Amino acid sequence: EPEVTQTPSHQVTQMGQEVILRCVPISNHLYFYWYRQILGQKVEFLVSFYNNEISEKSEIFDDQFSVERPDGSNFTLKIRSTKLEDSAMYFCASRVEFMNTEAFFGQGTRLTVV
Amino acid sequence: AQSVTQPDIHITVSEGASLELRCNYSYGATPYLFWYVQSPGQGLQLLLKYFSGDTLVQGIKGFEAEFKRSQSSFNLRKPSVHWSDAAEYFCAVGSSNDYKLSFGAGTTVTVRA
């Protein structure tokens, strides 16, 4: 069964460093998302991406964050200068189309900023 | 803005007993409704979904949920829980004119023998 794949599963980084979280969405999907879940809190929407551009972003998704689909298969989330409060589980998700479809989530990348 | 409330933070249930998890949503348009399950250290797995039509939907692992528009609810049920159902359960709402999902805070289910 097709699945969304995220790498790495766990990343530890020092505060102020740049990190790139990688995702391979399901191959025929057109809509891509990043969500995050701070430990003990709810899953929060960060950004959606369609047709090679951001379609919507949350207040969390500030200038420190960026997304890219560099090669037609990968979908990346970059955090330019990590802060302690960026520590969270980051989930990538994809949908085949917009109407009447569900999002499929990856296993997540646990980011720890020290 | 859309929002989801899961009133129960933690539920403990005996193996073989029935389970019901509550979900209430707030949304102006017709919602898309979902239940996801997250086992420890795992990602989010879709249990079931509602877009339109029959308000009682069946999902995987023997779960079902009922959409009640008048109560703005989408409660999840299972007639007989198994130890493997111990996990965290998230209700989420989306719509046909909104890209994103809004999640509830989750309900942790503990299954005792």
Side-chain angles (χ1 to χ4, degrees):
Chain A
E1 181 175 327
E3 60 182 15
V4 176
T5 305
Q6 291 186 243
T7 55
S9 57
H10 190 188
Q11 179 148 5
V12 181
T13 189
Q14 291 201 329
M15 191 169 50
Q17 294 297 304
E18 175 184 285
V19 294
I20 298 176
L21 309 183
R22 302 182 190 279
C23 169
V24 179
I26 296 173
S27 61
N28 63 334
H29 285 194
L30 301 177
Y31 295 84
F32 313 111
Y33 305 84
W34 285 100
Y35 290 79
R36 79 172 185 190
Q37 183 184 30
I38 295 172
L39 189 63
Q41 298 185 24
K42 65 172 64 177
V43 178
E44 303 172 288
F45 167 76
L46 291 178
V47 65
S48 60
F49 191 85
Y50 169 70
N51 200 26
N52 282 320
E53 62 182 22
I54 291 173
S55 44
E56 187 175 357
K57 59 184 180 180
S58 72
E59 292 177 353
I60 302 167
F61 195 89
D62 61 21
D63 292 344
Q64 291 300 309
F65 292 88
S66 62
V67 289
E68 192 179 31
R69 189 158 162 79
D71 56 12
S73 61
N74 292 283
F75 180 51
T76 62
L77 174 69
K78 181 192 292 186
I79 309 175
R80 289 190 181 82
S81 179
T82 50
K83 302 187 284 284
L84 294 176
E85 53 265 39
D86 294 326
S87 296
M89 180 74 90
Y90 287 81
F91 292 106
C92 175
S94 66
R95 292 165 79 172
V96 61
E97 56 184 46
F98 189 59
M99 298 288 288
N100 295 337
T101 64
E102 68 269 30
F104 290 83
F105 284 79
Q107 295 297 302
T109 293
R110 178 160 297 285
L111 176 65
T112 302
V113 183
V114 297
Chain B
Q2 58 198 37
S3 67
V4 180
T5 301
Q6 293 181 245
D8 304 303
I9 297 172
H10 192 184
I11 287 180
T12 299
V13 61
S14 297
E15 192 169 16
S18 64
L19 175 68
E20 181 167 12
L21 304 183
R22 295 183 290 165
C23 172
N24 293 100
Y25 68 90
S26 172
Y27 195 67
T30 299
Y32 293 168
L33 294 159
F34 308 86
W35 276 99
Y36 286 87
V37 61
Q38 184 182 31
S39 298
Q42 301 296 310
L44 297 166
Q45 181 183 25
L46 181 70
L47 284 176
L48 45 75
K49 62 201 177 202
Y50 172 80
F51 297 121
S52 64
D54 193 346
T55 56
L56 183 64
V57 293
Q58 303 296 320
I60 63 171
K61 304 184 180 186
F63 285 92
E64 67 177 26
E66 186 171 13
F67 170 55
K68 293 186 177 180
R69 185 186 300 275
S70 62
Q71 298 177 20
S72 297
S73 69
F74 189 58
N75 294 347
L76 181 72
R77 298 192 292 256
K78 185 169 183 177
S80 176
V81 298
H82 186 262
W83 64 266
S84 60
D85 293 323
E88 188 157 20
Y89 293 79
F90 293 94
C91 182
V93 63
S95 80
S96 60
N97 58 1
D98 195 337
Y99 294 103
K100 65 182 182 294
L101 295 179
S102 293
F103 283 81
T107 298
T108 301
V109 173
T110 298
V111 181
R112 58 178 175 227

